[in-house]
Amino acid sequence: MTEPSFAGRLRALREASGLSLRALARLTFYGKSYLHELETGAKIPTPQIARQLDRVLRANGELVAMAARPGVRRRDLVAAAGLAAALPHTLLSHGRQVGAATPARLAERTARLRRLDNYLGGADTRHAYAAEVESTTRLIRDGSYREAVGRQLLAILAEQAQLAGWAAFDAGVHDDAERLYRTSLAAAHEADDRALIGNGLALLGYQQLTLQGRSVDLADAARAAVGAAATSGVRALLHLRAAWSFANAGDADTADRYLGIGTRCLAETDGRPEPDWVYWVDGREGEIMTGRCWTALRRPVRAIPVLERVLAGFDDTYARDKALYLTWLADAYLDANEVEMACDAVATALRLAGGVASIRPGQRVDTLLRRLEPHSALPCVVELRALAAEVATRPAPTAAATPDSP
């Protein structure tokens, strides 16, 4: 007799509960399409996802046990395939003379490495990204090239330093993050790349907001640095980030104005190619930032529908980001006095972020647990605290082994 699969059992339990895929998506905060892929075997659940489905479907541990059968963890596959490719690029055979084709090769390489941030936390990627910065710095210092090639190399260095700074920020290594962001700004200024200057200022502002609670000056400087000449994707990103800064400062009017500009920019196109570092800025990102801004402004009636809609279709593959966005939804639920719904959102965030090498989801969960203290006697809060304690005792995810330097 054939042993039942996780996919088949999940579908059987859902149907026995009288739930549609859409209804199960609402209860778990997993996307309908993602649940369909689990039911067809197209995707394999993480242990955290299996636990959430098991709880909602009252499977008494059956789904958890089935998901724990021997197999290859997706995160391990990504780490092996992605970071193994992250060998320092000085191993490429360009020699001392740097030809006109080298910047394009390095830009393509940087774009591939950037995609790892979709799946891995900064503790997994920051050493590999920093090695790229060091290699390009040596290439610029020791290589021989024409002036135009030099400007292109400086722009690539600025991109790489921003990527490495972001990974350090995500890992909580803030001194390294600031140093790399300032390296990127110096390179962007030398390359006379206004878009990269703006992004460097915006990243510094994002870090400042996290550490000091305010960043409107840097965020506004980033937006102004590029002006109207930038591509629509760049303008969208910088206006959305400025909106976030003003929302956290309590300036609803300015935040709303910048959200409107950023959203309109997302709908525009003038045929110019966008830089690769804004590849992820799309309508979904605009909705997420809109929901986050209204949450920060304590306007849950505006925030909740937007965040619920976008998270219902957000793939769990992007575990860190989805976990973070769920914590903002939980904040909005608390502002609306929906404590049980807030607990459900935080619990899902905990399960998603359990295997991600990023400090940020845990920091957000800690903030929410403090907000829940006045409700500590409620069963949902008791269960959530127990789950948080369980997650805290698990071994921390370790970074994949990567070279610190060429």
Side-chain angles (χ1 to χ4, degrees):
M1 182 175 179
T2 303
E3 190 176 23
S5 66
F6 178 94
R9 189 61 184 138
L10 172 62
R11 180 172 182 174
L13 285 166
R14 176 181 62 78
E15 291 177 345
S17 299
L19 295 171
S20 65
L21 278 173
R22 189 179 301 279
L24 185 58
R26 283 198 301 269
L27 291 171
T28 60
F29 292 106
Y30 300 146
K32 177 184 171 184
S33 60
Y34 177 72
L35 292 172
H36 174 72
E37 289 174 324
L38 288 179
E39 286 194 357
T40 58
K43 288 196 174 176
I44 300 171
T46 65
Q48 294 87 358
I49 291 167
R51 278 194 290 273
Q52 172 72 338
L53 290 167
D54 196 283
R55 183 184 69 81
V56 170
L57 293 172
R58 303 179 188 276
N60 298 317
E62 183 181 2
L63 290 177
V64 173
M66 296 178 81
R69 289 176 185 152
V72 180
R73 292 171 60 223
R74 187 178 188 285
R75 181 173 176 270
D76 293 338
L77 282 173
V78 174
L83 294 182
L87 294 173
H89 68 64
T90 49
L91 296 179
L92 301 174
S93 58
H94 47 55
R96 183 175 177 83
Q97 181 65 41
V98 182
T102 298
R105 290 163 59 196
L106 295 183
E108 182 181 353
R109 175 185 178 82
T110 301
R112 289 200 306 271
L113 290 173
R114 182 177 288 112
R115 294 332 187 255
L116 292 179
D117 187 64
N118 285 333
Y119 311 104
L120 302 177
D124 280 324
T125 56
R126 70 185 188 90
H127 293 298
Y129 291 166
E132 295 291 302
V133 172
E134 293 174 13
S135 293
T136 301
T137 299
R138 279 197 290 275
L139 182 62
I140 291 170
R141 183 189 65 209
D142 300 334
S144 176
Y145 41 78
R146 295 179 181 273
E147 182 180 351
V149 171
R151 283 197 301 273
Q152 292 174 316
L153 291 175
L154 284 164
I156 291 165
L157 175 61
E159 276 193 56
Q160 291 172 339
Q162 288 174 8
L163 184 58
W166 174 256
F169 168 76
D170 192 49
V173 189
H174 292 294
D175 287 346
D176 280 1
E178 181 172 353
R179 174 181 57 79
L180 286 158
Y181 288 157
R182 295 197 181 281
T183 296
S184 80
L185 278 170
H189 276 289
E190 268 197 89
D192 195 26
D193 190 314
R194 305 301 298 175
L196 282 169
I197 292 169
N199 197 46
L201 290 169
L203 287 166
L204 267 175
Y206 201 93
Q207 183 183 37
Q208 185 183 89
L209 177 61
T210 300
L211 298 179
Q212 301 173 23
R214 186 174 177 83
S215 66
V216 292
D217 293 339
L218 277 171
D220 224 17
R223 180 194 58 79
V226 301
T231 61
S232 56
V234 171
R235 286 184 288 119
L237 172 62
L238 298 185
H239 278 91
L240 291 173
R241 283 185 172 162
W244 176 238
S245 293
F246 280 95
N248 278 274
D251 187 341
D253 290 341
T254 306
D256 192 29
R257 178 156 55 87
Y258 285 162
L259 282 173
I261 295 171
T263 302
R264 286 195 297 275
C265 287
L266 288 173
E268 295 174 359
T269 179
D270 58 10
R272 289 182 294 168
E274 295 285 354
D276 185 75
W277 48 267
V278 296
Y279 81 93
W280 53 276
V281 182
D282 55 15
R284 182 179 67 179
E285 176 63 22
E287 285 190 290
I288 287 167
M289 190 59 85
T290 297
R292 289 176 64 189
C293 285
W294 289 119
T295 298
L297 289 162
R298 299 295 178 90
R299 305 283 288 275
V301 173
R302 291 195 178 193
I304 290 171
V306 177
L307 290 173
E308 284 184 338
R309 181 173 63 250
V310 71
L311 284 168
F314 203 100
D315 198 317
D316 293 341
T317 303
Y318 310 117
R320 176 197 58 201
D321 293 345
K322 185 168 183 177
L324 284 167
Y325 302 150
L326 279 164
T327 65
W328 292 109
L329 178 58
D331 257 328
Y333 282 149
L334 283 177
D335 288 336
N337 202 32
E338 295 288 354
V339 179
E340 290 186 355
M341 296 176 77
C343 287
D344 283 345
V346 177
T348 304
L350 273 168
R351 294 183 179 100
L352 281 170
V356 178
S358 166
I359 68 162
R360 294 187 296 142
Q363 290 174 333
R364 287 284 304 141
V365 167
D366 287 345
T367 298
L368 284 156
L369 289 175
R370 288 193 294 272
R371 283 199 71 187
L372 284 163
E373 285 177 1
H375 311 283
S376 57
L378 290 178
C380 63
V381 178
V382 173
E383 290 178 10
L384 179 62
R385 289 189 178 281
L387 175 61
E390 176 198 335
V391 171
T393 61
R394 296 175 193 159
T398 56
T402 55
D404 287 325
S405 59

